[in-house]
Amino acid sequence: MSPPPTDGERRYNARLAVPHYQRIFDGWARVSAAVRARAPGRLDLAYGPDPAERLDLFLPEGRPRGTLMYIHGGYWRSLDKSDASLVAPPFTAAGYAVAVVNYALCPAVSVEAIVAQVRSAATWLATHHVQWDAPAGRLFACGHSAGGHLAAMLLATEPAVRAAVCISALYDLRPLLHVPSVMEATPFTPRSATALSPALLRPASAAPLLTALGSEENAGFHEQCGIIQRQWHDVHAGHIDCPGHDHFSILDALAQADGVIATAALGLMRSFDDTPSP
């Protein structure tokens, strides 16, 4: 018989809370493959020298209004951009280019290295926007779970990112020191967990942050959301409640055109249409 889960596991192990998570992952992969098969775009663009530093760019009809950078989750150790193409259609339909970003995974690399890769991706997108005729100064970030952490780190380090939507994200990594399933692949130290916590940093600009969370998520993710709302109150532009959603089903609210997260994200992005570029 397996030992009972620790308090840290109960608070932060989303797979423990959603035993059918693999069926959800399989669904993401299936829908994402269908999106790539039919959607106009450019796949496996290199934003850096590492083989993992690739992104898939999905394009709207006509000139893009801006570019949304999407960062997948997986506790920095699993999943792939090929599982996340499903987020693109609501945004391309609204006139935005969508870049779904890959990065190397733990334990092959550290979370510090992943943060550096995602920062490189943001720099590449901000620099190369003319290649897909997107306007300058219209780069937005969105991420789920560990991807939400990485999107928040962009707000803390990259002024080129004009706004971010962080879904079921992690903002203070220190509690993960007490989650064995996380520490197996991402051996944080007290020092690295502190250095990599957006909530313990300051935003690099006044770029607004939207947070989103499902009502059925582990208690730790609810605590994390409260932490960033308090610590980044100057830039926290609103919270999106997703009743009935768990840590994984919440992506339905982003990938569906009428989903509450997609609707809120598009509203935030459109608010920059008449704003001068920096």
Side-chain angles (χ1 to χ4, degrees):
M1 181 180 296
S2 300
T6 65
D7 182 62
E9 294 289 342
R10 286 191 296 270
R11 302 182 85 77
Y12 285 101
N13 188 332
R15 296 185 182 187
L16 183 68
V18 186
H20 60 284
Y21 67 87
Q22 190 59 53
R23 292 204 304 272
I24 297 175
F25 291 177
D26 292 344
W28 291 350
R30 184 171 57 253
V31 175
S32 292
V35 169
R36 291 193 301 279
R38 68 174 185 268
R42 306 169 190 175
L43 304 182
D44 289 318
L45 296 176
Y47 66 83
D50 189 286
E53 294 176 333
R54 300 291 184 270
L55 60 84
D56 293 340
L57 183 69
F58 299 95
L59 298 172
E61 293 185 9
R63 188 187 185 202
R65 300 167 68 167
T67 303
L68 175 64
M69 174 181 176
Y70 181 76
I71 312 165
H72 73 79
Y75 259 134
W76 310 280
R77 66 184 180 191
S78 67
L79 300 177
D80 182 87
K81 67 179 172 64
S82 65
D83 301 305
S85 312
L86 78 168
V87 306
F91 297 93
T92 55
Y96 292 89
V98 179
V100 181
V101 174
N102 232 32
Y103 49 88
L105 300 174
C106 299
V109 301
S110 65
V111 176
E112 289 94 334
I114 293 172
V115 169
Q117 287 182 333
V118 171
R119 292 183 65 187
S120 294
T123 298
W124 189 91
L125 289 166
T127 303
H128 291 80
H129 62 92
V130 294
Q131 293 185 11
W132 53 96
D133 200 27
R138 295 292 182 273
L139 177 62
F140 309 98
C142 178
H144 169 242
S145 194
H149 160 263
L150 295 167
M153 285 297 291
L154 289 178
L155 286 193
T157 58
E158 298 296 326
V161 175
R162 301 299 305 279
V165 181
C166 295
I167 305 164
S168 308
L170 297 147
Y171 307 101
D172 184 346
L173 305 189
R174 293 174 296 179
L176 300 184
L177 297 168
H178 308 290
V179 184
S181 63
V182 175
M183 293 295 289
E184 286 172 7
T186 55
F188 292 114
T189 65
R191 176 173 292 184
S192 67
T194 298
L196 294 166
S197 293
L200 305 181
L201 305 173
R202 294 302 307 156
S205 70
L209 165 68
L210 285 181
T211 54
L213 195 68
S215 64
E216 304 307 303
E217 304 217 33
N218 305 60
F221 292 98
H222 287 270
E223 294 167 5
Q224 291 284 324
C225 201
I227 289 169
I228 200 66
Q229 289 178 24
R230 291 190 298 273
Q231 295 297 107
W232 282 19
H233 60 88
D234 289 344
V235 299
H236 186 253
H239 178 71
I240 308 157
D241 286 312
C242 297
H245 280 298
D246 60 43
H247 190 74
F248 304 116
S249 70
I250 194 172
L251 277 194
D252 292 346
L254 178 69
Q256 296 173 359
D258 60 351
V260 291
I261 302 177
T263 300
L266 284 168
L268 177 64
M269 294 159 66
R270 287 167 176 153
S271 72
F272 286 86
D273 284 353
D274 299 321
T275 304
S277 298

